[in-house]
Amino acid sequence: VLLSLLLENNLTQFAVKGEKKEIELNDGSQVFLNAGSKINYPENFKEDRKITMEGEAYFEVAPNPGKPFRIKSGAIETKVLGTSFNINAYSRGREKISVNSGVVEITYGNNPSQKVTLTKNMQLSFHGNEKPNITEWDSDSYNAWTKNIIVLNKTSLGETAKNP
């Protein structure tokens, strides 16, 4: 019974193929959901600001040092206090997190000590079971989709076409 009560207070938002959706959460955070993506979150954040997502989303998180914002995407958890960043998690094991502002902490795998901290213009890419790769690049190119801009940088048209 308690589980059903908890689930009743959760909301799920979808962006179908060809659609982008902008969502304002009750804490003032903004989520830009890309095509073929979904997020699930509590209607009202209480002790924690925790959501789950599939696909791709750009976040502008309202600062609240007392309540970290946590995004669970597959086996990866991204934790922030107030920042902007993009998560591309269409393919499990091939996720990419890119930070536009602030600091983001990513925990991955089954070991909570496997953590990486990213700052502005840093990206963390996962490639299956390989060690994650950290790069530095202009992060605005990773959230250009929110402005209907396509950026192809060392990416084939075929690889780009695989994403919704």
Side-chain angles (χ1 to χ4, degrees):
V1 175
L2 181 59
L3 181 60
S4 64
L5 288 174
L6 291 172
L7 292 175
E8 288 176 349
N9 293 328
N10 277 5
L11 301 173
T12 301
Q13 295 277 344
F14 297 90
V16 297
K17 288 192 180 217
E19 176 186 33
K20 293 180 184 102
K21 188 178 274 190
E22 186 175 340
I23 303 154
E24 182 170 349
L25 304 178
N26 69 339
D27 69 343
S29 296
Q30 296 286 323
V31 180
F32 299 86
L33 204 55
N34 205 351
S37 303
K38 74 176 181 178
I39 61 170
N40 183 281
Y41 57 96
E43 188 173 3
N44 291 303
F45 294 117
K46 294 188 174 143
E47 296 100 36
D48 199 359
R49 299 189 296 169
K50 189 169 188 174
I51 69 171
T52 58
M53 68 158 282
E54 294 176 21
E56 183 172 20
Y58 175 73
F59 296 86
E60 291 179 356
V61 177
N64 185 341
K67 289 185 182 180
F69 196 93
R70 300 175 194 274
I71 300 104
K72 184 80 169 155
S73 51
I76 299 167
E77 182 175 280
T78 305
K79 174 183 162 185
V80 299
L81 297 175
T83 188
S84 58
F85 57 98
N86 194 76
I87 298 178
N88 182 319
Y90 284 116
S91 300
R92 190 170 285 222
R94 300 199 48 87
E95 296 89 347
K96 181 177 271 189
I97 297 98
S98 179
V99 179
N100 287 68
S101 67
V103 179
V104 173
E105 179 183 271
I106 295 109
T107 306
Y108 59 94
N110 295 326
N111 185 346
S113 68
Q114 290 181 298
K115 292 182 183 179
V116 176
T117 301
L118 303 178
T119 58
K120 181 176 175 56
N121 291 329
M122 291 177 76
Q123 295 79 39
L124 179 66
S125 301
F126 293 88
H127 302 285
N129 293 329
E130 296 175 22
K131 183 180 175 188
N133 185 33
I134 297 175
T135 56
E136 291 194 36
W137 189 259
D138 178 18
S139 290
D140 287 336
S141 63
Y142 292 97
N143 70 315
W145 62 266
T146 64
K147 300 172 185 83
N148 293 319
I149 297 170
I150 297 173
V151 176
L152 300 175
N153 178 36
K154 298 181 184 175
T155 306
S156 70
L157 191 55
E159 188 177 342
T160 302
K162 289 180 188 176
N163 289 328

Short mmCIF file of all heavy atoms in Angstrom, two decimals, residues 65-110:
data_model
loop_
_atom_site.label_atom_id
_atom_site.label_comp_id
_atom_site.label_asym_id
_atom_site.label_seq_id
_atom_site.Cartn_x
_atom_site.Cartn_y
_atom_site.Cartn_z
N PRO A 65 21.65 24.04 -1.53
CA PRO A 65 22.72 23.25 -0.92
C PRO A 65 22.23 22.20 0.06
O PRO A 65 22.88 21.18 0.26
CB PRO A 65 23.58 24.30 -0.21
CG PRO A 65 23.26 25.59 -0.89
CD PRO A 65 21.83 25.48 -1.35
N GLY A 66 21.09 22.40 0.68
CA GLY A 66 20.56 21.43 1.64
C GLY A 66 19.92 20.22 0.99
O GLY A 66 19.70 19.20 1.66
N LYS A 67 19.60 20.31 -0.29
CA LYS A 67 18.95 19.22 -1.00
C LYS A 67 19.62 19.01 -2.35
O LYS A 67 19.26 19.64 -3.34
CB LYS A 67 17.46 19.51 -1.26
CG LYS A 67 16.59 19.47 -0.04
CD LYS A 67 15.14 19.66 -0.47
CE LYS A 67 14.22 19.67 0.71
NZ LYS A 67 12.83 19.85 0.29
N PRO A 68 20.61 18.12 -2.41
CA PRO A 68 21.24 17.86 -3.71
C PRO A 68 20.22 17.34 -4.72
O PRO A 68 19.24 16.71 -4.35
CB PRO A 68 22.27 16.78 -3.40
CG PRO A 68 22.46 16.82 -1.93
CD PRO A 68 21.18 17.34 -1.34
N PHE A 69 20.44 17.65 -5.97
CA PHE A 69 19.61 17.19 -7.08
C PHE A 69 20.29 15.95 -7.65
O PHE A 69 21.47 15.99 -7.99
CB PHE A 69 19.52 18.30 -8.13
CG PHE A 69 18.42 18.13 -9.13
CD1 PHE A 69 17.18 18.72 -8.92
CD2 PHE A 69 18.63 17.41 -10.29
CE1 PHE A 69 16.18 18.59 -9.86
CE2 PHE A 69 17.62 17.27 -11.23
CZ PHE A 69 16.39 17.86 -11.01
N ARG A 70 19.58 14.82 -7.75
CA ARG A 70 20.16 13.56 -8.21
C ARG A 70 19.37 13.03 -9.40
O ARG A 70 18.15 12.98 -9.35
CB ARG A 70 20.15 12.52 -7.11
CG ARG A 70 20.92 12.92 -5.88
CD ARG A 70 20.76 11.87 -4.78
NE ARG A 70 21.19 12.36 -3.50
CZ ARG A 70 22.44 12.30 -3.06
NH1 ARG A 70 23.37 11.78 -3.82
NH2 ARG A 70 22.75 12.77 -1.88
N ILE A 71 20.11 12.65 -10.45
CA ILE A 71 19.49 12.07 -11.64
C ILE A 71 20.04 10.66 -11.80
O ILE A 71 21.24 10.47 -11.90
CB ILE A 71 19.78 12.88 -12.91
CG1 ILE A 71 19.26 14.30 -12.77
CG2 ILE A 71 19.14 12.22 -14.12
CD1 ILE A 71 20.32 15.28 -12.51
N LYS A 72 19.16 9.68 -11.84
CA LYS A 72 19.54 8.29 -12.05
C LYS A 72 19.24 7.94 -13.50
O LYS A 72 18.11 8.10 -13.96
CB LYS A 72 18.76 7.39 -11.09
CG LYS A 72 19.12 5.95 -11.14
CD LYS A 72 20.37 5.69 -10.34
CE LYS A 72 20.57 4.20 -10.20
NZ LYS A 72 21.92 3.82 -9.97
N SER A 73 20.28 7.53 -14.24
CA SER A 73 20.10 7.10 -15.63
C SER A 73 20.87 5.79 -15.79
O SER A 73 22.09 5.80 -15.87
CB SER A 73 20.59 8.17 -16.61
OG SER A 73 21.89 8.61 -16.29
N GLY A 74 20.14 4.67 -15.76
CA GLY A 74 20.80 3.37 -15.80
C GLY A 74 21.62 3.16 -14.56
O GLY A 74 21.14 3.33 -13.44
N ALA A 75 22.90 2.82 -14.71
CA ALA A 75 23.79 2.56 -13.56
C ALA A 75 24.55 3.81 -13.13
O ALA A 75 25.44 3.74 -12.32
CB ALA A 75 24.78 1.45 -13.93
N ILE A 76 24.16 4.97 -13.66
CA ILE A 76 24.87 6.21 -13.38
C ILE A 76 23.99 7.13 -12.56
O ILE A 76 22.79 7.27 -12.84
CB ILE A 76 25.27 6.91 -14.69
CG1 ILE A 76 26.20 6.01 -15.48
CG2 ILE A 76 25.90 8.26 -14.43
CD1 ILE A 76 26.39 6.46 -16.90
N GLU A 77 24.58 7.75 -11.53
CA GLU A 77 23.86 8.77 -10.77
C GLU A 77 24.65 10.07 -10.86
O GLU A 77 25.85 10.09 -10.60
CB GLU A 77 23.68 8.37 -9.31
CG GLU A 77 22.89 9.42 -8.55
CD GLU A 77 22.56 9.03 -7.13
OE1 GLU A 77 21.61 8.27 -6.93
OE2 GLU A 77 23.28 9.49 -6.22
N THR A 78 23.97 11.14 -11.24
CA THR A 78 24.58 12.46 -11.35
C THR A 78 24.02 13.31 -10.21
O THR A 78 22.81 13.39 -10.04
CB THR A 78 24.24 13.10 -12.71
OG1 THR A 78 24.65 12.20 -13.75
CG2 THR A 78 24.93 14.43 -12.89
N LYS A 79 24.92 13.93 -9.44
CA LYS A 79 24.52 14.72 -8.27
C LYS A 79 25.00 16.15 -8.43
O LYS A 79 26.16 16.38 -8.75
CB LYS A 79 25.12 14.10 -7.01
CG LYS A 79 24.91 14.89 -5.74
CD LYS A 79 25.64 14.20 -4.60
CE LYS A 79 25.84 15.13 -3.44
NZ LYS A 79 26.63 14.53 -2.38
N VAL A 80 24.08 17.10 -8.20
CA VAL A 80 24.43 18.52 -8.31
C VAL A 80 23.73 19.32 -7.22
O VAL A 80 22.74 18.86 -6.65
CB VAL A 80 24.06 19.10 -9.69
CG1 VAL A 80 24.78 18.41 -10.80
CG2 VAL A 80 22.56 19.02 -9.92
N LEU A 81 24.24 20.51 -6.96
CA LEU A 81 23.57 21.41 -6.02
C LEU A 81 22.85 22.52 -6.77
O LEU A 81 21.80 22.96 -6.37
CB LEU A 81 24.58 21.99 -5.04
CG LEU A 81 25.25 20.94 -4.14
CD1 LEU A 81 26.33 21.58 -3.29
CD2 LEU A 81 24.22 20.26 -3.26
N GLY A 82 23.40 23.02 -7.83
CA GLY A 82 22.79 24.05 -8.66
C GLY A 82 23.72 24.32 -9.83
O GLY A 82 24.81 24.85 -9.63
N THR A 83 23.32 23.94 -11.01
CA THR A 83 24.20 24.03 -12.17
C THR A 83 23.40 23.77 -13.43
O THR A 83 22.20 23.54 -13.38
CB THR A 83 25.36 23.01 -12.01
OG1 THR A 83 26.30 23.21 -13.03
CG2 THR A 83 24.88 21.59 -12.05
N SER A 84 24.09 23.78 -14.57
CA SER A 84 23.44 23.39 -15.83
C SER A 84 24.33 22.37 -16.53
O SER A 84 25.55 22.51 -16.56
CB SER A 84 23.19 24.61 -16.72
OG SER A 84 24.39 25.29 -17.01
N PHE A 85 23.70 21.34 -17.09
CA PHE A 85 24.44 20.24 -17.70
C PHE A 85 23.51 19.43 -18.59
O PHE A 85 22.28 19.54 -18.50
CB PHE A 85 25.06 19.34 -16.62
CG PHE A 85 24.04 18.78 -15.68
CD1 PHE A 85 23.54 17.50 -15.85
CD2 PHE A 85 23.56 19.54 -14.63
CE1 PHE A 85 22.58 16.99 -14.99
CE2 PHE A 85 22.61 19.04 -13.76
CZ PHE A 85 22.12 17.76 -13.94
N ASN A 86 24.10 18.61 -19.45
CA ASN A 86 23.36 17.75 -20.37
C ASN A 86 23.72 16.30 -20.08
O ASN A 86 24.87 15.98 -19.82
CB ASN A 86 23.76 18.10 -21.81
CG ASN A 86 22.81 17.50 -22.83
OD1 ASN A 86 21.71 17.99 -23.01
ND2 ASN A 86 23.21 16.42 -23.48
N ILE A 87 22.70 15.42 -20.10
CA ILE A 87 22.92 13.98 -19.99
C ILE A 87 22.35 13.33 -21.23
O ILE A 87 21.18 13.51 -21.55
CB ILE A 87 22.25 13.37 -18.74
CG1 ILE A 87 22.82 13.96 -17.47
CG2 ILE A 87 22.40 11.84 -18.74
CD1 ILE A 87 22.16 13.45 -16.20
N ASN A 88 23.19 12.57 -21.93
CA ASN A 88 22.74 11.78 -23.07
C ASN A 88 22.85 10.32 -22.64
O ASN A 88 23.94 9.80 -22.46
CB ASN A 88 23.61 12.05 -24.29
CG ASN A 88 23.14 11.27 -25.51
OD1 ASN A 88 22.77 10.11 -25.41
ND2 ASN A 88 23.17 11.90 -26.66
N ALA A 89 21.70 9.68 -22.43
CA ALA A 89 21.67 8.29 -21.94
C ALA A 89 20.72 7.45 -22.79
O ALA A 89 19.98 6.62 -22.28
CB ALA A 89 21.25 8.26 -20.47
N TYR A 90 20.73 7.69 -24.11
CA TYR A 90 19.90 6.88 -24.99
C TYR A 90 20.33 5.42 -24.98
O TYR A 90 19.51 4.53 -25.00
CB TYR A 90 19.96 7.40 -26.43
CG TYR A 90 19.15 8.66 -26.68
CD1 TYR A 90 19.77 9.83 -27.06
CD2 TYR A 90 17.77 8.65 -26.56
CE1 TYR A 90 19.04 10.98 -27.30
CE2 TYR A 90 17.03 9.80 -26.80
CZ TYR A 90 17.67 10.95 -27.17
OH TYR A 90 16.94 12.09 -27.41
N SER A 91 21.65 5.19 -24.97
CA SER A 91 22.18 3.82 -25.02
C SER A 91 22.87 3.50 -23.71
O SER A 91 23.83 4.17 -23.32
CB SER A 91 23.20 3.68 -26.15
OG SER A 91 22.61 3.96 -27.38
N ARG A 92 22.40 2.47 -23.03
CA ARG A 92 23.01 2.04 -21.77
C ARG A 92 24.46 1.63 -22.03
O ARG A 92 24.75 0.90 -22.97
CB ARG A 92 22.24 0.89 -21.17
CG ARG A 92 22.68 0.57 -19.76
CD ARG A 92 21.75 -0.39 -19.12
NE ARG A 92 20.54 0.34 -18.76
CZ ARG A 92 19.90 0.18 -17.62
NH1 ARG A 92 20.33 -0.69 -16.76
NH2 ARG A 92 18.82 0.87 -17.36
N GLY A 93 25.36 2.14 -21.20
CA GLY A 93 26.78 1.85 -21.37
C GLY A 93 27.48 2.81 -22.31
O GLY A 93 28.68 2.74 -22.49
N ARG A 94 26.73 3.76 -22.92
CA ARG A 94 27.34 4.75 -23.82
C ARG A 94 26.86 6.16 -23.45
O ARG A 94 26.70 7.02 -24.30
CB ARG A 94 27.00 4.42 -25.27
CG ARG A 94 27.52 3.04 -25.66
CD ARG A 94 27.66 2.79 -27.13
NE ARG A 94 28.32 3.79 -27.91
CZ ARG A 94 29.64 3.86 -28.12
NH1 ARG A 94 30.44 3.01 -27.54
NH2 ARG A 94 30.15 4.79 -28.89
N GLU A 95 26.64 6.38 -22.16
CA GLU A 95 26.15 7.66 -21.68
C GLU A 95 27.22 8.74 -21.78
O GLU A 95 28.41 8.46 -21.78
CB GLU A 95 25.71 7.53 -20.21
CG GLU A 95 24.54 6.60 -19.98
CD GLU A 95 24.94 5.16 -19.72
OE1 GLU A 95 26.11 4.79 -19.94
OE2 GLU A 95 24.06 4.39 -19.30
N LYS A 96 26.75 9.99 -21.86
CA LYS A 96 27.67 11.13 -21.89
C LYS A 96 27.05 12.25 -21.06
O LYS A 96 25.89 12.60 -21.24
CB LYS A 96 27.91 11.62 -23.30
CG LYS A 96 28.88 12.79 -23.35
CD LYS A 96 29.18 13.22 -24.77
CE LYS A 96 30.35 12.41 -25.24
NZ LYS A 96 30.89 12.86 -26.53
N ILE A 97 27.85 12.81 -20.14
CA ILE A 97 27.43 13.93 -19.31
C ILE A 97 28.35 15.10 -19.64
O ILE A 97 29.56 14.95 -19.67
CB ILE A 97 27.52 13.60 -17.80
CG1 ILE A 97 26.55 12.46 -17.45
CG2 ILE A 97 27.17 14.82 -16.95
CD1 ILE A 97 27.17 11.13 -17.37
N SER A 98 27.75 16.27 -19.89
CA SER A 98 28.51 17.47 -20.25
C SER A 98 28.06 18.62 -19.36
O SER A 98 26.86 18.88 -19.23
CB SER A 98 28.27 17.81 -21.71
OG SER A 98 28.98 18.96 -22.06
N VAL A 99 29.01 19.34 -18.74
CA VAL A 99 28.69 20.40 -17.78
C VAL A 99 28.83 21.77 -18.42
O VAL A 99 29.87 22.09 -19.00
CB VAL A 99 29.60 20.28 -16.54
CG1 VAL A 99 29.30 21.40 -15.55
CG2 VAL A 99 29.44 18.93 -15.88
N ASN A 100 27.78 22.58 -18.29
CA ASN A 100 27.80 23.96 -18.79
C ASN A 100 28.18 24.96 -17.72
O ASN A 100 28.79 25.98 -18.02
CB ASN A 100 26.43 24.33 -19.38
CG ASN A 100 26.18 23.66 -20.69
OD1 ASN A 100 26.02 22.45 -20.72
ND2 ASN A 100 26.18 24.41 -21.76
N SER A 101 27.79 24.70 -16.48
CA SER A 101 28.14 25.59 -15.38
C SER A 101 28.08 24.82 -14.07
O SER A 101 27.40 23.81 -13.96
CB SER A 101 27.18 26.79 -15.32
OG SER A 101 25.89 26.37 -14.98
N GLY A 102 28.83 25.29 -13.08
CA GLY A 102 28.82 24.66 -11.76
C GLY A 102 29.66 23.40 -11.70
O GLY A 102 30.57 23.19 -12.50
N VAL A 103 29.33 22.54 -10.73
CA VAL A 103 30.07 21.31 -10.48
C VAL A 103 29.08 20.15 -10.44
O VAL A 103 28.01 20.26 -9.84
CB VAL A 103 30.83 21.38 -9.13
CG1 VAL A 103 31.56 20.09 -8.85
CG2 VAL A 103 31.81 22.55 -9.13
N VAL A 104 29.45 19.04 -11.09
CA VAL A 104 28.61 17.85 -11.14
C VAL A 104 29.43 16.66 -10.67
O VAL A 104 30.58 16.51 -11.06
CB VAL A 104 28.11 17.60 -12.59
CG1 VAL A 104 27.37 16.29 -12.70
CG2 VAL A 104 27.24 18.75 -13.06
N GLU A 105 28.84 15.83 -9.82
CA GLU A 105 29.50 14.61 -9.34
C GLU A 105 28.76 13.41 -9.92
O GLU A 105 27.55 13.30 -9.78
CB GLU A 105 29.48 14.56 -7.82
CG GLU A 105 30.13 13.30 -7.26
CD GLU A 105 30.02 13.25 -5.75
OE1 GLU A 105 30.93 13.77 -5.08
OE2 GLU A 105 29.02 12.70 -5.25
N ILE A 106 29.50 12.51 -10.57
CA ILE A 106 28.91 11.32 -11.18
C ILE A 106 29.43 10.08 -10.47
O ILE A 106 30.63 9.93 -10.30
CB ILE A 106 29.23 11.24 -12.69
CG1 ILE A 106 28.58 12.41 -13.44
CG2 ILE A 106 28.70 9.94 -13.28
CD1 ILE A 106 29.52 13.39 -13.92
N THR A 107 28.51 9.23 -10.05
CA THR A 107 28.84 7.94 -9.47
C THR A 107 28.41 6.89 -10.47
O THR A 107 27.32 6.98 -11.04
CB THR A 107 28.09 7.73 -8.14
OG1 THR A 107 28.37 8.83 -7.28
CG2 THR A 107 28.50 6.44 -7.46
N TYR A 108 29.25 5.88 -10.70
CA TYR A 108 28.90 4.88 -11.71
C TYR A 108 29.32 3.49 -11.24
O TYR A 108 30.14 3.33 -10.34
CB TYR A 108 29.55 5.21 -13.05
CG TYR A 108 31.06 5.29 -13.01
CD1 TYR A 108 31.85 4.18 -13.32
CD2 TYR A 108 31.70 6.47 -12.65
CE1 TYR A 108 33.22 4.26 -13.27
CE2 TYR A 108 33.07 6.55 -12.59
CZ TYR A 108 33.83 5.44 -12.91
OH TYR A 108 35.19 5.50 -12.85
N GLY A 109 28.71 2.48 -11.87
CA GLY A 109 29.01 1.10 -11.52
C GLY A 109 28.38 0.71 -10.20
O GLY A 109 27.54 1.42 -9.66
N ASN A 110 28.77 -0.43 -9.69
CA ASN A 110 28.21 -0.93 -8.43
C ASN A 110 28.99 -0.47 -7.21
O ASN A 110 28.67 -0.84 -6.10
CB ASN A 110 28.16 -2.46 -8.46
CG ASN A 110 27.21 -2.95 -9.53
OD1 ASN A 110 26.19 -2.31 -9.80
ND2 ASN A 110 27.52 -4.07 -10.15
#
